[in-house]
Amino acid sequence: MYDCIIIGAGPAGGTAAYHLAKRGRSVLVLEKESLPRYKPCGGGVSPAITQWFDFDFSPAISVKVDSLRFTWKLEDPVEAKIGIKEPVWMVRRHVFDHFLVQQAQKQGAELKDYTEVTGIEFQGDYWQVNTANGSVTGHYLIAADGAKGPMAKWLGFKDRKRRLAGALEAEVPAEVINNNMAYFEFGLLKNGYIWNFPKADGYSIGVGTFIGGEPQDFKKILDDYAKSFNLDVKTTKQYGHPICLWNGNQKLHTQNAVLAGEAACVVDPFTAEGIRPSIFSGVLAAQFIHDALSGDINALENYTQAINEQWGTDMAWAQKLAGTFYRFPSIGYKVGVKRPSGAQIMGKILCGELRYGDVVGRALKRLIPGFGG
């Protein structure tokens, strides 16, 4: 009987496992893939996550980015140093996620990878988790099985305010020229943006739409954009995947279980940043499940409240900005991105040094004359 069983070995699951095991709790992580496993993702990580850990992430970082380059239909470029304390990390997710789980294992957490969960049953005061390799039991569950995982539905979260975005990504091996610069293109895609993030041995190029709208030919858009870097994405595998954006406050706990990471829909609805919020949810999930195991009967309810207050409040501002910026992107580019401070502000938001609530009111006034007054 484990204190906690965590389903999913991504950033949320690995983080929760690390912090629970460090507190002396018995933890089992179940992962359906064999680790390390590929995960389509741009791989930008805010260095602000170091505040939640006491080990060095250097082995998991591919390169560091201190500059951003924005374009509108491949023209009208804006380049800027971000001006943050520590450059943004660029990681390969198979390396980063596995590294995090390995730190949890060093604290005593157990891992069973290549073990798919086939069902769950609540047995009065503990969970029985059925897998293809037999059953395991635990007092508490953390469902961190991502955007496509079945755990939320099995736990009864049928009415969640899920807001799905779509993305297509390719990893292109190449000799990287400026490995300290990340690229963002806003004009070629409706309702989102294109990114090109450097790694030590190539680029992660992707397209993502965040507010819905008419269908678009992602493959052609990705191909056209890659050609501007003399890259051919047709020769590499492309991965389509959903992204679970934050869509308002919601209940994230049930009987002896919580949702974390993309299963909890914590992705930033403006930038689509998912790793930092997933890790943050893992930190809080570990804290409140530890409290529950210590006898606090309100602990899981407090988890929902903490996520809604500490993450959701700022995401409400991000949602307002996304709804306006992606509907009027040419105006957003002119009055937002092209402002001298625009790149620095975006970089600081990506790194957690600035909150949306600090800047979005002013930004919306520029985008929508008369907003808020």
Side-chain angles (χ1 to χ4, degrees):
M1 175 76 71
Y2 292 92
D3 288 329
C4 186
I5 297 173
I6 299 169
I7 293 89
T15 297
Y18 175 79
H19 284 290
L20 276 168
K22 195 161 185 255
R23 287 177 165 101
R25 301 301 185 180
S26 59
V27 181
L28 173 65
V29 180
L30 298 175
E31 166 60 45
K32 69 175 181 178
E33 306 289 345
S34 183
L35 293 182
R37 51 95 180 95
Y38 177 76
K39 174 79 170 66
C41 176
V45 180
S46 164
I49 68 163
T50 55
Q51 68 187 295
W52 301 315
F53 299 95
D54 56 3
F55 54 82
D56 179 16
F57 275 91
S58 295
I61 302 169
S62 181
V63 297
K64 294 183 179 183
V65 161
D66 64 6
S67 300
L68 305 178
R69 189 175 199 268
F70 303 96
T71 52
W72 176 263
K73 296 187 176 174
L74 301 179
E75 297 178 348
D76 202 10
V78 178
E79 281 186 23
K81 290 271 186 191
I82 308 174
I84 50 179
K85 296 173 195 144
E86 165 80 9
V88 181
W89 305 344
M90 295 289 152
V91 306
R92 297 280 193 198
R93 284 290 299 278
H94 68 282
V95 175
F96 182 83
D97 292 6
H98 192 210
F99 176 77
L100 201 45
V101 169
Q102 286 173 320
Q103 305 314 303
Q105 287 177 287
K106 285 178 186 174
Q107 297 296 330
E110 291 180 43
L111 168 69
K112 286 187 181 177
D113 60 351
Y114 206 53
T115 302
E116 185 168 5
V117 174
T118 55
I120 55 173
E121 300 168 46
F122 193 60
Q123 305 287 8
D125 62 348
Y126 68 90
W127 283 98
Q128 178 179 311
V129 180
N130 302 319
T131 79
N133 306 327
S135 297
V136 288
T137 55
H139 291 296
Y140 288 87
L141 288 186
I142 296 176
D145 56 339
K148 294 191 284 189
M151 286 294 299
K153 194 197 296 184
W154 290 348
L155 285 167
F157 292 93
K158 294 186 174 61
D159 300 320
R160 286 185 308 156
K161 294 181 274 189
R162 267 166 69 91
R163 184 136 175 243
L164 287 176
L168 180 70
E169 180 126 29
E171 303 285 346
V172 188
E175 187 179 335
V176 179
I177 310 299
N178 298 321
N179 68 6
N180 68 322
M181 182 173 285
Y183 302 84
F184 297 86
E185 158 58 40
F186 288 105
L188 293 179
L189 185 79
K190 293 182 176 70
N191 304 322
Y193 65 85
I194 311 175
W195 63 87
N196 183 5
F197 290 173
K199 304 295 187 299
D201 54 355
Y203 295 97
S204 300
I205 301 184
V207 298
T209 57
F210 312 129
I211 60 170
E214 68 272 32
Q216 300 178 72
D217 190 342
F218 275 15
K219 288 198 169 183
K220 183 178 186 311
I221 292 167
L222 192 67
D223 185 42
D224 289 346
Y225 178 70
K227 283 175 184 166
S228 71
F229 290 88
N230 296 316
L231 300 171
D232 184 3
V233 293
K234 287 179 179 168
T235 61
T236 186
K237 190 166 180 185
Q238 297 173 24
Y239 297 85
H241 59 99
I243 305 169
C244 282
L245 302 175
W246 183 265
N247 194 30
N249 290 358
Q250 49 201 304
K251 186 181 172 192
L252 299 172
H253 69 283
T254 186
Q255 184 71 56
N256 287 40
V258 299
L259 304 180
E262 277 207 65
C265 305
V266 294
V267 176
D268 182 322
F270 181 62
T271 64
E273 179 195 16
I275 298 174
R276 178 169 61 104
S278 287
I279 286 174
F280 180 59
S281 71
V283 170
L284 291 186
Q287 175 189 324
F288 289 107
I289 282 187
H290 173 73
D291 291 348
L293 286 161
S294 301
D296 182 351
I297 60 170
N298 298 314
L300 302 195
E301 189 179 334
N302 293 342
Y303 168 74
T304 288
Q305 190 175 341
I307 292 278
N308 286 331
E309 286 176 1
Q310 296 177 47
W311 184 249
T313 303
D314 210 41
M315 289 306 99
W317 284 107
Q319 211 170 6
K320 285 189 179 113
L321 184 60
T324 305
F325 184 95
Y326 293 123
R327 283 191 175 88
F328 309 104
S330 61
I331 299 170
Y333 195 80
K334 283 178 196 145
V335 305
V337 175
K338 290 198 73 176
R339 284 177 69 83
S341 60
Q344 284 91 344
I345 287 171
M346 188 167 175
K348 286 181 177 179
I349 283 173
L350 278 168
C351 286
E353 288 186 17
L354 257 184
R355 291 173 66 85
Y356 284 103
D358 301 329
V359 296
V360 167
R362 292 196 302 277
L364 288 174
K365 280 178 185 171
R366 286 196 296 272
L367 283 163
I368 311 168
F371 175 85

